[in-house]
Amino acid sequence: PAKKKAAPVVKKRPTVGPYAKEPKFLEEQRVLLLEERAIYQGQAEDLRAEADSLALEREPGDVQFDEESGEGGTVTVDRERDLALSAQALNAVEEIDEALRKVERKTYGGCERCFEPIPKARLRALPYARLCVACKSGGLSRR
């Protein structure tokens, strides 16, 4: 006779976060998230302004030369780097905004993959973490 395989246990996403009953912790995290958001927003704006100023300073196709390597990096390369870093900072702002929404809904602090609580130490170090350490180290994915 063929053996029946047991159905895999699928965890349901909880409707409240593991720290929903800890308003003091949630408030501390909200303040931390707002501070991080201000930093990343400022970086994004500064890098964008730098990229815009680089575009205005040079003529299209201008190349900088230096003594060591001959043809140096173009303004375009510097501008693209600044734009990429600005986009990364804006992505962090979006992640922080999502974490702030979770704090408001009291769903903050649960791993999005295994639904286990993310340890407070991890959340204090990276307040917009979406995954616990075990799930994060299991592959390259979101924070």
Side-chain angles (χ1 to χ4, degrees):
K3 292 183 181 180
K4 287 187 178 180
K5 289 186 178 180
V9 178
V10 178
K11 288 187 176 185
K12 268 179 57 177
R13 179 181 295 274
T15 56
V16 294
Y19 305 111
K21 294 181 180 178
E22 298 185 39
K24 184 178 177 192
F25 176 71
L26 290 178
E27 179 58 21
E28 289 169 1
Q29 290 304 105
R30 188 182 73 75
V31 169
L32 196 56
L33 285 161
L34 290 172
E35 289 170 358
E36 292 258 335
R37 187 185 193 287
I39 291 167
Y40 282 112
Q41 186 70 42
Q43 287 177 350
E45 290 169 4
D46 291 347
L47 287 162
R48 181 66 189 209
E50 175 77 18
D52 291 344
S53 76
L54 284 171
L56 294 174
E57 284 177 16
R58 304 265 182 204
E59 295 293 322
D62 268 358
V63 177
Q64 298 171 340
F65 291 91
D66 61 30
E67 293 176 10
E68 292 182 32
S69 64
E71 184 176 325
T74 64
V75 172
T76 303
V77 172
D78 292 340
R79 183 172 187 274
E80 290 299 319
R81 182 201 63 227
D82 287 344
L83 289 174
L85 291 172
S86 176
Q88 284 179 337
L90 287 175
N91 186 35
V93 169
E94 289 174 16
E95 299 252 349
I96 291 168
D97 287 344
E98 178 59 24
L100 286 166
R101 284 189 287 276
K102 289 179 180 182
V103 168
E104 293 302 315
R105 294 188 307 246
K106 298 201 183 327
T107 59
Y108 178 79
C111 177
E112 292 183 356
R113 186 171 295 151
C114 71
F115 308 119
E116 293 295 317
I118 299 171
K120 287 182 179 180
R122 175 161 169 75
L123 291 172
R124 286 186 176 111
L126 185 67
Y128 51 98
R130 293 176 173 242
L131 301 174
C132 66
V133 174
C135 290
K136 177 65 179 172
S137 63
L140 297 174
S141 59
R142 301 189 77 112
R143 295 175 208 253

